[in-house]
Amino acid sequence: MDPAILHIQDEGRRFPPPEAFKAKARIKSLAEYHKLYEESIHAPEQFWARQAKELAWMRPWNSVFDWDKETCRFTWFRGGKLNVSSNCLDRHLETQGEKVAILWQGEREEDKRRLTYRELHDEVCRFANVLKKKGVQKGDRVCVYLPMIPEAVIAMLACTRIGAIHSVVFAGFSSAALKDRLDDSKAKVLITADGGRRSGKEFDLKGMADAALTDCQSVEQVIVVQHIKNNAAMKKGRDVYWHDEMRSTHGACPATEMDAEDPLFILYTSGTTGKPKGALHTTAGYLLYTYLTYRYIFDYSDKDIYWCTADVGWVTGHSYIVYGPLANGATVLMFEGVPTYPDNDRFWQIVENYKVSVLYTAPTALRALMRFGDGPVKKHDLSSLRLLGSVGEPINPEAWMWYHTVIGGGRCPIVDTWWQTETGGILISPLPGAMTLKPGCACRPFFGVRPVVYNEEGGLAQRNEGGYLAITHPWPGLMRTVWGNHDRYIETYWDKYKGEYSTGDAARVDENGDIWLMGRVDDVIKVSGHRLGTAEVESALVSHPSVAEAGVVGRPHPIKGQCLYAFVTLKHGIPISEQLKQELIQHVSTTMGPIAKPDFIQFAEGLPKTRSGKIMRRILKAIASGEADVGNTTTLADPSVVEELVKNRVA
Ligand code: WTA
């Protein structure tokens, strides 16, 4: 019998919610969580209907949830009418119109903007009128290809105001990626900027857009934000400036009445195979789910200064920079730059300057910053922080502990939030005032979420036995289809466990019922018939004091089938040596067990990462296996690291 994905790491540290935090939290105990969770499972319609009443509706719904299992189609709040932009803006005007909605910090210290809810509302209405003037109608696709500037949020909300479907493409993508996405969505209008700033350099965004548009059939109009003022070339009859258009339009724009299930946006995401898929999210369910998860997981308080360091081009930016926080009326900080420019204390400087109270970032950023030690952190007063969040990949206990002790001063709970582009919002996370934290553990399902872990044979996994994570019932935020390809949606997500959503992630549930994520199933490796979660091996390596980051993949082995090949980045100033290599192998062996020992360790200056910071294991696998062709490297943040890795491959 094929043993299930092995779990052999034990993390024994426990962090109950601090009393001071608990006292003010929205959900203050595990019992309170249980009560609501039970209701959300046993009386889901009652639960979701009550939550949905917190939103502003133009017309009430007829039924809360319908599910056609055969066709993998489901609807939430059938017949209900509402508008997302008016829920994020108009609804707050009377009570908190003068509250700051967006604080923007440019990469250059002197570049700052702030928009109150009233100002943001006015900008959105005016830009919605610009879109209308350009002929954009309900259901049309509008592509947003912008750096991290407030116009990105304004453009997204303006689309939702008139019922246009936005497709945001990350500004770090190049023209080929943009073109694929424009073609697939058949976008009518492209909103872009002359350029952007990253790490002290300017990049030519308009040039990328022009290259993508050379033989694009669908785009009729391009609206260009003048951001870095680089005199970008403008094509007559096609390109117009954002500020010119805004000047010649008026400020009133009624919100279009949208059906609960009308499409809200498309967001392209890479699968294991094939072209990126356009995940389609719809109106009411997505809004409600991001509203509620933000409220409870980030324990929303009116006074918060909330900073999510993701880019709006990724789902985290959609759900937890724009829709979730704004639906709650929160103050959101938006930052254009990177963690290490002009210096490696930039993040901490921003936290201090803006008195950030809730920080939501990614393990990869934390590990990158950990390399510089505590010095850069200690230069700043981080006492405004009360809650920390992590997203995007499993957070290794070492990074978790650093985040908790050095950044959070031991006083801030960490919400390790597990979710996906497809899921719309967070599915598994601690509730910070209610749950005892374990470093590296995502804890419990959110309301309405029913996770299940299956073993290799398709049976239920035992406690602490790793397996495949599926979710048995749809929740309001789940994507409805792959844009233009419902069959691919069914094949990718619903075929494996008939009628259940298959996540592609491995997980285990521990003896307390807490859920540990173990990385993508496709990155799970079999060594001598044992399955290992790469995330766990990496975590073991990173727990060594000399290691900053590690990427572990499988490599064919004549006896074991596969063995582990580890790419390791050392902390600044640590010299490479054969002795250290042996020490690391021994370290993994002692922390995880001998079967998890890497057979090969290659020291590397950098690992191949997507621009959102995910390690591209596909490329590492190809290098480790000595394949002549490492595949497509165009989505990498820095494709040049690949050459270096190939050169130094351990034969
Ligand atoms: C991984 C990002 C462990 C996971 C929101 C998932 C995580 C994929 C976590 C989705 C976490 C995200 N712990 N793994 N807290 N958060 N992942 O679509 O493998 O960019 O399937 O969405 O990231 O990535 P995506």
Side-chain angles (χ1 to χ4, degrees), residues 344-345 348 373-382 402 406-407:
N344 50 35
D345 66 339
W348 320 126
D374 302 355
V377 186
K378 297 286 181 230
K379 286 203 276 187
H380 299 282
D381 173 7
L382 305 187
W402 189 73
V406 180
I407 306 307

Side-chain angles (χ1 to χ4, degrees), residues 579-596:
Q579 192 199 335
L580 179 57
K581 203 182 262 191
Q582 293 311 321
E583 201 180 306
L584 293 180
I585 293 172
Q586 192 49 43
H587 179 73
V588 174
S589 179
T590 42
T591 48
M592 277 194 68
I595 59 154

Side-chain angles (χ1 to χ4, degrees), residues 55-58 81-92 117 121 124 153 156-164 166 255-260 262-265 281-288 290-291 318 322-324 326-328:
L55 300 177
W57 294 82
M58 294 160 162
K81 308 278 180 197
L82 75 174
N83 181 281
V84 167
S85 89
S86 66
N87 269 281
C88 291
L89 301 168
D90 309 43
R91 196 155 66 93
H92 307 309
Y117 270 92
H121 172 264
V124 167
V153 181
M156 289 162 79
L157 288 169
C159 288
T160 71
R161 192 149 194 99
I162 60 172
H166 63 68
T256 301
E257 190 175 285
M258 301 296 289
D259 189 83
D262 272 337
L264 180 63
F265 67 81
H281 286 284
T282 58
T283 300
Y286 174 84
L287 178 69
L288 176 61
T290 52
Y291 166 79
H318 283 58
V322 186
Y323 296 110
L326 297 181
N328 277 279

